[in-house]
Amino acid sequence: QVQLAESGGGLVQPGGSLRLSCVASERYAMGWFRQAPGKEREFVASISRIADTTYYADSAKGRFTISRDGAKTTVYLQMNSLRPEDTAVYYCAAGLSAERLWRGLYTSWGQGTQVTVSS
């Protein structure tokens, strides 16, 4: 089972930026989900194994960018123009394709990293 380790969460003011990272033990399609208090976990973005396809939730389009490094085992989520409603635990996930992750089908989860957007 692929191992995932997220980092990069923290406290940021509204309008600010954060970059989350996730290191995987193997090369899979990867994605980000988030779960806010009292809400269900929701899809944020995903990227294919070779970084040629990406999917975004409507809430992330135009503000968040998913990418992966040259070795394809680290995925990033650059989050700009953050809003209080982006506050959540962000989870990295691995799956068989970016589309399957978009559909909520995953192979493994990371432990999560807290993102708090507040003044």
Side-chain angles (χ1 to χ4, degrees):
Q1 187 174 3
V2 60
Q3 303 297 313
L4 304 168
E6 303 102 329
S7 62
L11 173 64
V12 64
Q13 292 187 343
S17 299
L18 276 177
R19 189 177 80 158
L20 306 182
S21 300
C22 177
V23 179
S25 58
E26 302 175 50
R27 193 189 302 183
Y28 273 75
M30 295 174 72
W32 291 93
F33 292 74
R34 67 186 183 185
Q35 187 167 20
K39 295 187 177 181
E40 293 186 355
R41 192 172 297 184
E42 64 177 3
F43 171 82
V44 177
S46 63
I47 189 166
S48 65
R49 189 169 171 270
I50 59 173
D52 63 339
T53 304
T54 57
Y55 290 83
Y56 291 94
D58 287 344
S59 60
K61 289 178 181 177
R63 300 189 300 129
F64 296 1
T65 303
I66 190 169
S67 61
R68 59 195 310 164
D69 68 348
K72 305 295 189 294
T73 55
T74 300
V75 67
Y76 305 99
L77 185 69
Q78 177 66 43
M79 303 186 294
N80 299 327
S81 302
L82 283 162
R83 305 164 180 166
E85 54 264 39
D86 294 318
T87 295
V89 177
Y90 284 70
Y91 296 90
C92 178
L96 298 180
S97 73
E99 181 182 6
R100 288 175 67 88
L101 286 164
W102 173 62
R103 295 177 182 276
L105 302 174
Y106 57 90
T107 300
S108 298
W109 287 107
Q111 80 284 358
T113 185
Q114 177 70 46
V115 171
T116 302
V117 184
S118 176
S119 55

